[in-house]
Amino acid sequence: MRKSLLGLLTVALLSAGCTSTTDEHTDHAMASEVVFEEQWASAGDGEMAAVFGTLVNNGHHEARVVSGSSPAAGRVEVHEVAGDAGAKTMRPKEGGIVLPAGGSHELVPGGDHLMLMDLTAPLAVGSDIELTVQFEDGSTLPVTVQVRDFAGANEEYQPEHGGHG
């Protein structure tokens, strides 16, 4: 009886150990490993404003930002600025922004950024807006973003699906 009880206990402990190890590798939410540092938005009274800062992935797995939401905008898109020596064009970034494990990605004027589309009200310098960053796995990262004065990098907007121009 003692031997079978010890055998059952060993099997139970091994099973529990395997389960927790498996959970650690499969149940991580992308947003739980990412921080958004020095985030800010461009002031504006038009239809769009950009959000910049640095996304830092402290995790051991790649994370991918695919969109966002904000009470300040009708929608939030991931954008890039592309172009050669001529005019720069701002457009939706296919596939989102990839954050390598243990790495970071800067959102900067003239480069990748989050775009607040269809603003619900003008964004005044010095105010704060709420933003929720959406990841590929459905997890979200809520942040507060300070609005700063910024004229823009003079890109032309090229909507992907007949949006605003």
Side-chain angles (χ1 to χ4, degrees):
M1 173 99 167
R2 191 173 216 211
K3 225 176 192 180
S4 62
L5 184 57
L6 185 58
L8 284 173
L9 184 57
T10 302
V11 169
L13 287 173
L14 287 175
S15 294
C18 288
T19 301
S20 75
T21 302
T22 302
D23 289 348
E24 286 175 19
H25 295 294
T26 59
D27 289 344
H28 74 282
M30 289 180 182
S32 69
E33 302 293 339
V34 175
V35 292
F36 199 177
E37 298 177 343
E38 301 178 28
Q39 65 275 13
W40 63 279
S42 58
D45 55 6
E47 294 181 9
M48 299 181 285
V51 175
F52 307 107
T54 303
L55 292 160
V56 180
N57 182 356
N58 294 310
H60 299 290
H61 303 280
E62 178 181 279
R64 184 181 302 262
V65 175
V66 294
S67 68
S69 62
S70 174
R75 67 186 192 278
V76 177
E77 297 179 352
V78 176
H79 279 196
E80 66 182 347
V81 175
D84 46 27
K88 301 286 184 187
T89 302
M90 178 181 56
R91 63 183 182 211
K93 184 174 177 85
E94 191 174 322
I97 295 171
V98 176
L99 306 172
S104 64
H105 189 90
E106 289 191 45
L107 305 182
V108 296
D112 292 345
H113 57 278
L114 298 177
M115 195 60 142
L116 304 170
M117 309 288 292
D118 303 325
L119 294 178
T120 57
L123 299 183
V125 173
S127 64
D128 289 336
I129 60 168
E130 299 305 313
L131 171 70
T132 301
V133 179
Q134 176 90 36
F135 291 82
E136 182 179 50
D137 66 354
S139 62
T140 58
L141 175 65
V143 295
T144 300
V145 179
Q146 183 184 63
V147 178
R148 298 181 185 168
D149 191 22
F150 177 71
N154 299 319
E155 309 93 357
E156 292 195 26
Y157 177 55
Q158 184 175 53
E160 186 176 56
H161 300 291
H164 299 281

